[in-house]
Amino acid sequence: MDKISVNPLVSVIVPNYNHARFLDERMESILGQTYQNFEVIILDDVSTDNSREVIEKYRNDPRVSQIVYNDENSGSPFKQWNKGFRLAEGELVWIAESDDSCERTMLERLVNCFGQHPDLSYAFAHSVSVDENGRERFELQRNIRNDLFLDGRTFNHRYLLWGNIVFNASSVLFRKDAAMTVDPEYMNYRGAGDWLFWMEMAEKGSVAYVAQKLNHYRMYGQNTTAKASMSGREDIEDHQVLQKFKSHGYGTPLEWLRIKKKYVCLIRYFNRYEDEAVRQHSLSLWTPGPLVRLLAWGSYQLQK
């Protein structure tokens, strides 16, 4: 990959769907960044609230380069991501989800990572969960306390194989040229497409993590993550993504046994689905043998 230029242009993509009540906070957290060489691209996916009214307040800001209103709902946040990539003029891209916010220094800290590591594919910041009123709930990435820089495949094996620790796209700054070469399959997902996207992006270079609490990830009852978990769709897509990890050569047989045990335990003994058919289908995807069922039962007993 070519080295990122000094003081690179960042394309800030703001995909929005019915987040009018959070949009002002989101936009002000972008416009108030200490790093100011950016363009803002606002994408609205046929919102039914007063999002358009809020968005239009920013039309005349010179940093807002494009506002695009879809004629039909895309049905996937990842299709909106890809649309933003194609519109972006910057070398670097930041997907600033419309219901999140961040500290004023986040973009500056992440841009600096690209100056320090020429082969960097993406850098992400430590996130904290906030509720719909902006009150902090808990820290994410609690097991990584120090800044991190790793080769992409090492990062995938050590971290992403075990779950998507890049919890929130709003915490990530990444190379546009790398994103444009990712297999577009991630756009077919509703919940786990980001996990697949970050895995394939990591393979295109290295990954950096900034341990400072810079990103505010809004988690509440009506967002996509919560809905995916309740429906069971999330675990079905998790299985599909993990098969991609396997096909890319990650994990030993023992590690795959541990992963299968984890999912069988979650599905069989910690039922979070109202739909029994979804539960049974999710379980069948892991085709658990007697040993896996025994290990999963043991894990469940230890956690009771």
Side-chain angles (χ1 to χ4, degrees):
M1 292 189 294
D2 294 333
K3 184 178 180 180
I4 294 293
S5 63
V6 177
N7 195 42
L9 177 66
V10 175
S11 292
V12 186
I13 300 167
V14 184
N16 176 69
Y17 177 67
N18 285 347
H19 286 152
R21 59 178 170 158
F22 304 123
L23 266 171
D24 279 323
E25 180 183 353
R26 170 77 281 181
M27 289 300 296
E28 294 309 315
S29 74
I30 294 168
L31 300 176
Q33 287 294 299
T34 55
Y35 185 88
Q36 282 285 306
N37 189 23
F38 60 78
E39 63 165 350
V40 179
I41 300 168
I42 303 174
L43 306 176
D44 186 78
D45 207 9
V46 198
S47 292
T48 56
D49 62 2
N50 65 319
S51 287
R52 186 182 289 252
E53 177 185 339
V54 180
I55 290 168
E56 287 300 320
K57 291 172 14 183
Y58 299 95
R59 182 174 289 278
N60 294 324
D61 190 297
R63 293 163 292 186
V64 177
S65 62
Q66 299 186 66
I67 296 175
V68 181
Y69 297 105
N70 283 356
D71 294 325
E72 296 181 359
N73 185 272
S74 68
S76 166
F78 309 118
K79 290 179 181 177
Q80 288 291 86
W81 286 19
N82 187 265
K83 183 174 186 176
F85 302 163
R86 290 183 279 109
L87 294 172
E89 296 290 337
E91 292 177 83
L92 299 176
V93 175
W94 172 24
I95 300 171
E97 300 283 6
S98 55
D99 55 343
D100 299 325
S101 64
C102 61
E103 298 295 327
R104 295 178 65 249
T105 57
M106 190 181 92
L107 194 52
E108 180 181 359
R109 289 294 308 277
L110 295 179
V111 168
N112 287 342
C113 291
F114 287 84
Q116 297 165 5
H117 307 292
D119 67 338
L120 199 61
S121 177
Y122 65 89
F124 67 109
H126 188 72
S127 297
V128 294
S129 165
V130 299
D131 65 17
E132 55 191 314
N133 298 311
R135 292 187 295 260
E136 184 173 329
R137 299 173 61 203
F138 53 84
E139 293 184 45
L140 303 169
Q141 296 110 1
R142 284 169 285 185
N143 296 328
I144 313 177
R145 290 298 178 183
N146 299 309
D147 289 357
L148 189 70
F149 173 72
L150 288 172
D151 165 77
R153 286 195 64 88
T154 302
F155 175 78
N156 282 343
H157 187 214
R158 191 175 298 177
Y159 293 102
L160 279 192
L161 177 62
W162 306 98
N164 184 13
I165 68 161
V166 189
F167 291 99
N168 182 214
S170 295
S171 70
V172 191
L173 185 65
F174 56 92
R175 298 177 64 118
K176 176 189 171 180
D177 58 357
M180 294 300 291
T181 64
V182 169
D183 187 329
E185 183 184 346
Y186 72 94
M187 288 188 284
N188 298 330
Y189 290 74
R190 293 284 302 278
D194 55 343
W195 191 11
L196 179 58
F197 180 80
W198 302 129
M199 182 268 276
E200 296 201 358
M201 279 289 288
E203 292 184 334
K204 298 178 184 299
S206 56
V207 177
Y209 167 72
V210 177
Q212 184 179 353
K213 294 194 294 185
L214 297 172
N215 183 58
H216 309 149
Y217 177 23
R218 205 177 304 267
M219 299 177 71
Y220 55 102
Q222 297 303 310
N223 66 4
T224 303
T225 302
K227 290 178 180 178
S229 292
M230 286 304 296
S231 69
R233 185 183 67 215
E234 186 176 83
D235 278 323
I236 295 172
E237 291 192 352
D238 282 357
H239 170 79
Q240 295 167 337
V241 172
L242 283 166
Q243 291 307 307
K244 288 291 183 181
F245 275 89
K246 199 172 217 179
S247 69
H248 284 231
Y250 296 104
T252 65
L254 182 58
E255 287 172 331
W256 283 109
L257 182 64
R258 288 173 57 195
I259 290 168
K260 182 179 284 194
K261 181 195 75 171
K262 167 190 167 183
Y263 279 90
V264 170
C265 184
L266 285 172
I267 297 166
R268 194 179 182 96
Y269 303 117
F270 292 95
N271 181 25
R272 39 182 182 168
Y273 319 132
E274 297 176 4
D275 190 329
E276 179 63 18
V278 169
R279 178 176 178 269
Q280 290 301 326
H281 178 56
S282 300
L283 189 62
S284 71
L285 291 172
W286 294 97
T287 55
L291 177 59
V292 173
R293 288 196 295 269
L294 179 63
L295 291 172
W297 173 251
S299 295
Y300 169 63
Q301 291 298 319
L302 288 172
Q303 295 177 62
K304 284 178 68 175

